[in-house]
Amino acid sequence: KKSPDELLEEVKIHQVERDALDRVFKTFVSKSDDPRAIESCVKFGWQEVSRVLHELGCRQSKQEVQLMVWEVDEDLDGYVSKEEFEIMYKRVVSDKTGLEPRKLFNLVQFMMYDKGNTGRVTVEDTLELIYVRYGMEHLEKEIQALFGENEKTDDGQEKSITFSEYLEQINKRATEKRKKKSFKKS
């Protein structure tokens, strides 16, 4: 039987995911007040996460943001290192139980989709990452889970969602999955 660390080693991150993860990690680090942190690009803390959330129009308390960092802070130094960032990503994408902490992951995933840092994502923005993770056979289902039945607005424009709307969809889906699991058990 393999250890959790050995299982994580087996989780593959596609190059397109790695590029997006690197971009997002650098975005967090760039929010630092410490020029040395930006230069070395090795870790970020709750303040940087809070700044990103603020830019996305999502205000959370200091304690809520600190919890996001704490959930993935393996060495308990109050910061998320590049290694911890990648471990978080691998744990969540390989989690079959739905029990892995996802607060920071959900923010990171949204930012991975939001390549232009506009604070909104469209179906087009999500296609490549969803395709490499889930494959063509699950693409439509994953898109509908994020954007609903209609991928266009009433006037024919491509639908886009904010981080708050994204979280709403993600949380709704997680609740539905938990209900299905508990229904199967009974």
Side-chain angles (χ1 to χ4, degrees):
K1 188 171 173 164
K2 294 182 180 180
S3 73
D5 288 339
E6 290 171 325
L7 291 172
L8 269 186
E9 283 296 316
E10 292 178 358
V11 176
K12 299 292 179 240
I13 297 178
H14 297 275
Q15 190 60 49
V16 66
E17 291 174 293
R18 182 158 313 283
D19 293 345
L21 280 169
D22 288 345
R23 177 178 46 77
V24 171
F25 188 83
K26 287 176 185 168
T27 299
F28 280 117
V29 173
S30 76
K31 305 299 178 191
S32 176
D33 290 333
D34 182 356
R36 292 171 302 177
I38 295 170
E39 193 176 298
S40 60
C41 197
V42 292
K43 58 186 174 180
F44 62 87
W46 73 268
Q47 296 94 336
E48 291 79 17
V49 175
S50 185
R51 288 180 185 120
V52 168
L53 287 166
H54 179 78
E55 289 172 6
L56 291 171
C58 185
R59 295 183 190 266
Q60 294 194 351
S61 72
K62 177 181 175 179
Q63 290 78 18
E64 290 171 318
V65 180
Q66 286 174 325
L67 177 62
M68 291 172 78
V69 170
W70 178 81
E71 288 179 340
V72 300
D73 181 13
E74 297 289 317
D75 62 8
L76 300 177
D77 67 350
Y79 294 91
V80 178
S81 69
K82 185 82 167 179
E83 181 183 5
E84 291 165 334
F85 192 70
E86 187 172 305
I87 288 170
M88 172 220 35
Y89 186 79
K90 285 181 170 186
R91 281 183 176 158
V92 175
V93 299
S94 65
D95 178 27
K96 305 281 189 255
T97 65
L99 299 175
E100 194 63 43
R102 295 171 190 270
K103 290 178 179 7
L104 185 60
F105 173 84
N106 289 335
L107 174 58
V108 168
Q109 186 68 74
F110 180 85
M111 293 171 69
M112 288 172 71
Y113 294 145
D114 184 15
K115 296 176 192 99
N117 293 325
T118 63
R120 301 187 74 81
V121 295
T122 63
V123 171
E124 183 71 28
D125 294 331
T126 65
L127 288 175
E128 186 177 31
L129 285 167
I130 290 175
Y131 175 76
V132 298
R133 181 160 335 123
Y134 299 104
M136 191 62 168
E137 60 276 3
H138 297 288
L139 188 64
E140 189 63 35
K141 181 180 82 172
E142 295 300 322
I143 295 293
Q144 281 187 359
L146 291 180
F147 294 92
E149 294 293 320
N150 300 323
E151 296 175 16
K152 303 248 184 239
T153 60
D154 291 338
D155 63 354
Q157 298 294 313
E158 187 174 29
K159 190 176 192 178
S160 68
I161 57 175
T162 64
F163 178 61
S164 295
E165 293 166 326
Y166 172 80
L167 274 183
E168 194 177 304
Q169 291 298 102
I170 293 296
N171 291 333
K172 181 174 133 186
R173 186 174 193 199
T175 302
E176 288 169 1
K177 281 184 177 182
R178 279 193 297 277
K179 282 180 184 176
K180 281 181 185 176
K181 280 185 180 181
S182 65
F183 181 72
K184 285 180 183 178
K185 287 180 183 176
S186 41

